[in-house]
Amino acid sequence: MHARVVYDTTFGNTRTIAEVIAAELGQGTTTLSLGDLTDASLDGVDVLVVGCPINGWRPTERMQEFLHSLTPGSLTGVRAAAFDTRVKLFIHGDAAGKISHALHDAGATIVAKPQGFIVQGTEGPLAPGETGKAGAWAAFIGAELRATA
Ligand SMILES: Cc1cc2nc3c(=O)[nH]c(=O)nc-3n(C[C@H](O)[C@H](O)[C@H](O)COP(=O)(O)O)c2cc1C
């Protein structure tokens, strides 16, 4: 298994969630900031978890560019899941669902429902319990990966 957690972040909260997910998935799972993405970054990756903050009810600009760069079929054979970070608003929009759809459209098999994690205000910190929730979500993904290996 070559697993990678690709994330975008402005204030660091999404990076923290990405690192918790990578640690829980284990087996050498690496994190990668979208700002450091190169053409070869996804070579050999067969498990891909992708997340970013919601900005203006949708994924960040950088995440939208990344998703648009995925050609149909480019993620065939990849098992994937998506998450976002968000503030607790009545109408907060969505990033994780949109990311998940784009990964699926590129050929990935989605192994977990999109998941949002709450930050307390624009700059965070993460709300109490959210890193634990991230660990549990990643543990579910790990179990799905083992069950469908
Ligand atoms: C320009 C901007 C727009 C935002 N729009 C939304 C939004 O529509 N819905 C929401 O829930 N949070 C929104 N937020 C809050 C971000 O989701 C929050 O800052 C982010 O989760 C923090 O993650 P980070 O530390 O990884 O940058 C917005 C934040 C910024 C800076």
Side-chain angles (χ1 to χ4, degrees):
M1 177 175 102
H2 182 188
R4 189 143 242 211
V5 184
V6 175
Y7 66 90
D8 195 15
T9 186
T10 303
F11 304 107
N13 299 282
T14 313
R15 181 191 310 120
T16 299
I17 295 290
E19 288 169 349
V20 169
I21 292 167
E24 179 63 39
L25 289 178
Q27 297 187 48
T29 302
T30 53
T31 59
L32 178 74
S33 167
L34 266 188
D36 295 328
L37 188 83
T38 67
D39 287 347
S41 292
L42 299 186
D43 287 358
V45 169
D46 55 8
V47 175
L48 183 62
V49 181
V50 181
C52 73
I54 301 178
N55 271 188
W57 304 284
R58 58 180 69 86
T60 60
E61 287 287 330
R62 196 153 42 182
M63 180 58 73
Q64 290 183 67
E65 282 170 25
F66 168 66
L67 297 175
H68 286 138
S69 77
L70 297 172
T71 51
S74 59
L75 294 181
T76 300
V78 174
R79 292 179 289 169
F83 68 98
D84 64 41
T85 57
R86 53 181 69 185
V87 292
K88 201 168 185 176
L89 293 174
F90 183 59
I91 300 175
H92 44 65
D94 169 68
K98 293 183 171 74
I99 296 169
S100 187
H101 275 294
L103 297 175
H104 178 262
D105 287 350
T109 300
I110 304 301
V111 296
K113 278 200 277 189
Q115 181 68 63
F117 299 98
I118 305 295
V119 297
Q120 295 177 313
T122 300
E123 297 186 19
L126 287 156
E130 293 302 277
T131 53
K133 195 170 98 181
W137 186 68
F140 173 85
I141 292 172
E144 286 295 302
L145 294 175
R146 286 189 293 278
T148 59

